Amino acid sequence: AYTGGASHAVDRDPPLAPSGLDLAAGSDSGISSTDNVTNDTTPAFTGSAEANSTVTLTSSIDGALGTTTADGVGNWSFTTPLLTSNSAHNITAAATDVAGNTGAASTALALTLDTQIPTITSSAPAVGAAADASVIFNLAFSESVNSLTTEDFALASTGTASGTISSVSASSGTGVAVTVNGISGTGSLKVGHTASDIVDDAGNALGAYSAGTAHSVDTDAPTISGVSFDQTSVTQANQSAISLTLASAEAGTSANYTITGSSGTPVIGSIAVASASQQIVNIDVSGLGDGTLTVSLTLTDTAGNISSPAVTDTISKDAVIPAVNVVNVNDSHYGVGSAIDITLTLTEDVTVSGTLSTLSLDIDGVARQAVFVSATSGVLTYRYTVQAGDNTGAS
């Protein structure tokens, strides 16, 4: 028998598939270091395989990437050459032992390589009036982004328009509602983006944006310096067609006025203002009582802003014709040359200009004239001097 001689080592068993294949934390960019979403185009991978084996990494997109050697306890790492960007790679590893046996490939690691810069695709205000002090802008992104805050967005304005970005509706997502408060002035506002810490899942920073739809702003009240009655007073003759004139009024607005008096239903009207000195004609105030009439007027612009305070003016109305309530003559016997005082008590006080006012008398069928003496507190006094023949018969 013979048992000596040289021995021949035999190794025909393939190594086990590598395990623990993972994207190295330093290569896993973006909001998570464990999600295997990255913008690193030459990422590093780690894993475990048979000690001292040769590990070959393969991409489903780029094919064989290269090899590395596991250390004495089987740990290995590998940095890839440039991978195809914006693709979903399935990365596998296979080990070849020192005897040249190659084992099965590992379970594939799904790698998302994203180098595409996210963008704002639209920015537009929701429905709102130009005079609103607050408006919401709806922004849409080309992909989901993260780390959204009010500091990330900027207002672009024209004219005197201004406002403050006060809130965003979400901290991440494919869209966000941005609220702008404290809006004032006249012009326009847009919400845009210059630079910030907004990133997509892979860590690509959001691009600059200055386009979008503007929100028209008009919060300034229209201007007017005054309103005045065109007549010196309102009388029986003109009360159905008086007029007003505006001073330094803002054209393109509407004037809204109310005229009130001591009694009667207020007169309300509106007119389009075509010029700074717009006149409002044919105003009927016959339904208002005598006394002081007051007009109060404001302007409203197309955005709904109302001038404040209202401009006002006053005018005196005296349209009721005074009537005689009482006629008084002292009952007596008068001779030629005697003076007879006749008093007329009126429904209101009047002013008699000059001394030419006369009172017609009928004395026994003969027309006579009494002359004016005085007017006091609505009582007029006239005097007649008896003439020859006036004292014959009844009077």
Side-chain angles (χ1 to χ4, degrees):
Y2 181 78
T3 59
S7 63
H8 173 66
V10 177
D11 182 359
R12 300 180 65 184
D13 295 327
L16 297 175
S19 62
L21 175 61
D22 193 19
L23 179 65
S27 291
D28 198 338
S29 63
I31 61 172
S32 170
S33 62
T34 60
D35 61 0
N36 299 320
V37 177
T38 184
N39 61 11
D40 186 349
T41 56
T42 57
F45 295 91
T46 61
S48 297
E50 183 176 301
N52 303 311
S53 64
T54 299
V55 179
T56 302
L57 271 75
T58 303
S59 162
S60 59
I61 301 296
D62 294 320
L65 302 178
T67 61
T68 187
T69 301
D71 64 16
V73 293
N75 295 322
W76 62 267
S77 65
F78 176 76
T79 300
T80 71
L82 186 67
L83 299 183
T84 300
S85 298
N86 305 313
S87 300
H89 296 255
N90 287 321
I91 306 297
T92 58
T96 301
D97 61 19
V98 294
N101 302 300
T102 300
S106 67
T107 300
L109 173 70
L111 172 73
T112 299
L113 181 53
D114 176 12
T115 60
Q116 185 70 42
I117 295 175
T119 60
I120 297 174
T121 57
S122 66
S123 172
V127 176
D132 288 349
S134 178
V135 68
I136 294 175
F137 283 81
N138 292 315
L139 276 65
F141 306 103
S142 59
E143 60 179 300
S144 182
V145 293
N146 308 278
S147 303
L148 300 171
T149 67
T150 56
E151 290 77 16
D152 295 321
F153 303 100
L155 283 176
S157 64
T158 64
T160 60
S162 64
T164 301
I165 295 175
S166 60
S167 66
V168 294
S169 61
S171 61
S172 63
T174 57
V176 68
V178 177
T179 300
V180 180
N181 283 336
I183 297 175
S184 63
T186 298
S188 67
L189 292 174
K190 290 196 296 186
V191 171
H193 173 259
T194 52
S196 69
D197 60 353
I198 298 176
V199 294
D200 63 12
D201 291 349
N204 302 298
L206 181 68
Y209 182 82
S210 59
T213 303
H215 170 66
S216 294
V217 175
D218 182 358
T219 63
D220 293 331
T223 56
I224 182 173
S225 64
V227 62
S228 60
F229 288 98
D230 295 333
Q231 293 71 32
T232 56
S233 64
V234 178
T235 65
Q236 176 71 26
N238 67 15
Q239 65 175 342
S240 62
I242 66 168
S243 60
L244 300 168
T245 297
L246 311 186
S248 302
E250 184 175 316
T253 61
S254 61
N256 309 286
Y257 63 88
T258 300
I259 301 175
T260 57
S262 58
S263 61
T265 303
V267 176
I268 298 173
S270 179
I271 189 174
V273 178
S275 68
S277 57
Q278 178 72 47
Q279 190 179 41
I280 307 172
V281 299
N282 297 321
I283 304 172
D284 188 349
V285 293
S286 59
L288 297 176
D290 281 4
T292 299
L293 305 187
T294 301
V295 60
S296 176
L297 182 144
T298 60
L299 299 183
T300 302
D301 64 19
T302 55
N305 301 298
I306 300 174
S307 61
S308 180
V311 290
T312 62
D313 193 26
T314 59
I315 193 172
S316 176
K317 178 182 179 182
D318 186 0
V320 177
I321 299 174
V324 178
N325 267 346
V326 178
V327 178
N328 183 64
V329 180
N330 290 331
D331 189 15
S332 184
H333 296 281
Y334 297 96
V336 175
S338 298
I340 303 173
D341 284 347
I342 305 154
T343 59
L344 308 179
T345 302
L346 307 181
T347 53
E348 61 179 309
D349 194 13
V350 297
T351 299
V352 179
S353 300
T355 59
L356 299 179
S357 175
T358 60
L359 179 65
S360 297
L361 302 176
D362 185 326
I363 301 177
D364 215 14
V366 179
R368 300 296 191 188
Q369 299 292 320
V371 298
F372 175 73
V373 175
S374 65
T376 305
S377 301
V379 177
L380 304 183
T381 300
Y382 291 85
R383 182 167 295 160
Y384 176 70
T385 301
V386 177
Q387 303 178 36
D390 287 344
N391 57 353
T392 58
S395 60

